[in-house]
Amino acid sequence: MRVLLVEDEVDLAESLRRGLTNEGFVVDVAHDGVTGGWLARENPYDVVVLDLMLPGRNGYAVLEDLRAAENWVPVLMLTAKDGEYDQTDAFDLGADDYLTKPFSFLVLVARLRALIRRGAPERPVVLTVGSLQLDPVRRTVARRGQLLELTTKEYVILQYLMQNGDKVVSKSEIMDNAWDAGFEGSENIVEVYVGYLRRKIDAPFGLSTLQTVRGMGYRLVPDEPGTAAS
């Protein structure tokens, strides 16, 4: 099991290297984003542990470069930043897991083993539903070739809907995927953001693809003749 550890705190990196080696991992270490990105592109790692705040090139940029090159090696982000938007940005760019400092070494090992068991299946570079396209690497959304300007929350909700195809997803499922556990507002906030999305992805094109399924939730369908939102 070959691991790339990209961490600029030298003492922490060495401690993790020794610990992971004792657990049976083969560990390469880089202390900056430029070196780490190069190693990740040039070698067949089973998993990458990537710090967010790095000299030379930050973890977001390294991850974005990997996914843009269609390198789907599992990546666990390791960082002291634990804000909602920090985690959302990491997952939007293609991170597979996210662990904040300070952390349990046993939890880190368990998560790395879980990522390695899952492997790195091919992932579509662009999500497509009808004429609507979402590029998770470049974080762009377009309909019929026209780029759409979405807020971060709108983007996260739309990505979740597109990932679920024509499956109906409930308000609570959307809440779980777009808001953190500390959010104390009502589920009705989902209706508000669905309205925002409809005004951006459907209304300008005369479409009704973001459907409400009464009593169940929402689904996104291709823009074909006869589709209509209730």
Side-chain angles (χ1 to χ4, degrees), residues 95-206:
D96 298 273
D97 204 350
Y98 192 104
L99 191 60
T100 57
K101 302 174 184 177
F103 57 90
S104 161
F105 178 73
L106 292 178
V107 170
L108 172 64
V109 171
R111 291 192 177 187
L112 291 180
R113 286 178 173 156
L115 289 175
I116 291 171
R117 283 196 300 271
R118 290 205 299 258
E122 287 296 320
R123 309 176 200 184
V125 176
V126 177
L127 297 174
T128 301
V129 177
S131 65
L132 187 66
Q133 294 185 320
L134 182 148
D135 187 331
V137 174
R138 295 175 177 81
R139 298 189 66 191
T140 59
V141 177
R143 167 88 78 184
R144 297 176 182 171
Q146 178 180 330
L147 287 175
L148 309 179
E149 294 293 332
L150 303 186
T151 66
T152 299
K153 191 68 70 180
E154 292 165 354
Y155 177 93
V156 171
I157 294 171
L158 179 61
Q159 184 176 33
Y160 182 65
L161 288 166
M162 294 182 75
Q163 287 171 334
N164 279 276
D166 60 358
K167 173 187 172 185
V168 177
V169 294
S170 67
K171 286 183 182 179
S172 62
E173 288 174 321
I174 294 173
M175 288 283 291
D176 288 344
N177 281 273
W179 279 268
D180 63 29
F183 180 73
E184 297 180 352
S186 166
E187 284 187 355
N188 290 335
I189 191 68
V190 175
E191 295 180 20
V192 174
Y193 276 90
V194 166
Y196 294 158
L197 277 173
R198 283 177 173 147
R199 288 197 286 272
K200 293 182 178 181
I201 70 171
D202 276 346
F205 305 93

Side-chain angles (χ1 to χ4, degrees), residues 5 18 24 29 32 59-60 64-66 83 86 120 131 137 145 170 177 181 187 214 218 221 225:
L5 172 62
R18 290 197 306 267
V29 178
D32 64 84
Y60 288 139
E64 187 173 16
D65 288 346
L66 286 175
D86 299 311
S131 65
V137 174
S170 67
N177 281 273
E187 284 187 355
R214 287 194 175 91
Y218 304 95
V221 300

